[in-house]
Amino acid sequence: MKKICLIYTGGTIGMWPNEAGILLPPENPDNFLKIAPDLHEIAEFDFVTLLNKDSTNFCPDDWIAIAQAIYDRRNEGYAGFVVAHGTDTMHFSSSAVSLALGKNLNVPVVFTGSQTDASVKHGDARTNLMRSFMVACSDLAEVALCFDHAVFRGARAQKRHESEFDAFESPAFPRLARLTKFVELFPEAKRRNPEIKDDIELIAEFAPNIVQISLIPGLETHFLNSLISNEFCHGVILQSFGAGNVPDQGPFSLLEFIAKASSFGKPVLVTSQFPANSTTNTEYGPGKSAVEAGAIPTGNMTSACAMVKFRWVLAQVMKTNLKNGERQKRIRELMNLSFVGELD
């Protein structure tokens, strides 16, 4: 049998309701294994309790902890890793770990969780865990998110529903596999390659002090100007209308704000309020005007991955001695490179 490392971080999949019916993290995470006592029929495994928290409370330090835990165990004979995680921010964590572990990853790292706790007999906690073990034993060789009957690239997935069992989707990239009696990998999936000898280069740093603003009609820019004058602000994300469209006329135009932020060394990223919508090839003037003013488009990345990658890129660029103009150029270049298949 193959050997799997099961990393527990919390989430609904490991919770049990208290007397008032409120779901809380378990006092003893070791009880998590009771939800699927027959896991050993799929693979041998070691159980690691890394965290025990609701994923709503996750932060970049937790992404680093997960990536570091996998990196530290990369040469201990594991055929794959399964990360049990809460669903609310799992797509953020899977994106972050994908970037941190990089392109040389040659085993599956499978994130999973559930919409129901294990006390719900018809729920998905046991099923998702069992299926994730199957994926971790497959020929996949990248960070993935396994939920219900589908397997998605970790840096392409996003949550689409708060209660349905097929809670995740990948709007801009095909699924990696279909789960039936077997794991059917699709051509888009990266597979294990025995000829790859390069070790993982762990880059697990994420810059702090990023602000994301979801645009609304009539947003007054004087609220935003205080952000770029704050010494602690390292960057701004504008979650735009449509395909990267940003107001560019009248008193609510954001073009001056974007230009000023860029001149202050505060890069401005433009994502979309729509799922994984393209902000690179917009045909509309307001979108092109924002880019011409200095905004950085995010292609067809999910908004979650764009935010995570922005922190990841900034952490690397901030360590250089580049001057502001060159720094802005380098950030734009890195944001538009695909490191782990996170954008086309």
Side-chain angles (χ1 to χ4, degrees):
M1 278 191 173
K2 292 183 177 179
K3 187 177 179 183
I4 302 299
C5 181
L6 172 58
I7 298 175
Y8 178 78
T9 68
T12 300
I13 193 170
M15 293 182 179
W16 289 86
N18 64 11
E19 294 180 356
I22 299 173
L23 288 176
L24 296 171
E27 293 184 6
N28 183 4
D30 289 344
N31 291 330
F32 172 66
L33 296 176
K34 293 180 180 179
I35 73 171
D38 43 356
L39 272 177
H40 67 277
E41 296 179 12
I42 299 176
E44 296 180 12
F45 67 91
D46 291 330
F47 181 63
V48 177
T49 300
L50 184 66
L51 301 165
N52 184 26
K53 60 198 296 188
D54 190 304
S55 74
T56 303
N57 294 313
F58 264 56
C59 65
D61 284 346
D62 298 319
W63 307 338
I64 295 170
I66 296 171
Q68 187 71 54
I70 294 168
Y71 179 80
D72 290 344
R73 294 167 175 79
R74 69 193 185 284
N75 295 322
E76 295 184 8
Y78 294 116
F81 296 81
V82 172
V83 181
H85 196 293
T87 62
D88 283 349
T89 63
M90 182 157 56
H91 47 307
F92 291 91
S93 294
S94 62
S95 296
V97 172
S98 295
L99 291 166
L101 296 179
K103 63 181 181 180
N104 290 337
L105 180 66
N106 204 26
V107 297
V109 173
V110 187
F111 280 77
T112 196
S114 67
Q115 294 287 65
T116 65
D117 65 278
S119 70
V120 179
K121 300 301 182 184
H122 67 281
D124 59 344
R126 177 185 178 278
T127 300
N128 285 347
L129 184 59
M130 297 285 283
R131 288 174 176 173
S132 295
F133 260 61
M134 291 174 57
V135 176
C137 291
S138 74
D139 284 336
L140 190 68
E142 59 178 292
V143 176
L145 193 154
C146 176
F147 218 87
D148 196 39
H149 61 282
V151 182
F152 305 110
R153 176 162 289 165
R156 291 280 196 162
Q158 63 184 28
K159 191 174 181 181
R160 55 163 290 274
H161 203 278
E162 81 282 354
S163 60
E164 292 181 357
F165 289 150
D166 58 338
F168 287 85
E169 63 181 354
S170 178
F173 192 79
R175 291 182 297 169
L176 300 182
R178 175 175 53 232
L179 299 179
T180 58
K181 183 178 180 180
F182 307 101
V183 178
E184 301 177 27
L185 294 181
F186 295 148
E188 293 79 9
K190 179 188 170 188
R191 288 167 167 78
R192 301 177 194 260
N193 185 351
E195 296 182 2
I196 293 180
K197 305 300 181 183
D198 294 336
D199 195 7
I200 293 172
E201 181 184 1
L202 183 69
I203 305 177
E205 295 179 78
F206 301 90
N209 301 326
I210 302 299
V211 179
Q212 178 167 296
I213 300 159
S214 183
L215 298 189
I216 59 174
L219 177 64
E220 291 82 359
T221 57
H222 63 266
F223 288 119
L224 306 181
N225 289 329
S226 61
L227 291 175
I228 56 177
S229 61
N230 188 310
E231 63 176 310
F232 296 106
C233 177
H234 290 152
V236 179
I237 300 174
L238 297 179
Q239 204 168 32
S240 68
F241 304 117
N245 294 328
V246 172
D248 64 347
Q249 294 181 2
F252 305 115
S253 171
L254 287 170
L255 300 186
E256 183 179 348
F257 166 77
I258 293 171
K260 185 183 295 185
S262 300
S263 68
F264 285 3
K266 311 293 174 70
V268 178
L269 200 70
V270 176
T271 64
S272 176
Q273 297 179 25
F274 288 94
N277 224 354
S278 175
T279 61
T280 299
N281 298 313
T282 176
E283 299 175 353
Y284 296 96
K288 291 185 178 298
S289 298
V291 174
E292 291 170 359
I296 300 172
T298 53
N300 63 351
M301 279 187 283
T302 65
S303 59
C305 185
M307 184 280 290
V308 167
K309 185 176 179 180
F310 194 34
R311 288 181 180 268
W312 185 73
V313 166
L314 281 177
Q316 297 177 63
V317 175
M318 287 168 62
K319 294 189 297 183
T320 68
N321 294 320
L322 294 174
K323 295 182 179 180
N324 183 37
E326 289 299 314
R327 177 181 292 191
Q328 296 283 332
K329 181 180 178 181
R330 183 58 176 159
I331 292 169
R332 183 182 294 268
E333 289 174 349
L334 293 177
M335 286 301 302
N336 285 291
L337 284 178
S338 179
F339 290 91
V340 288
E342 71 275 13
L343 80 163
D344 293 348

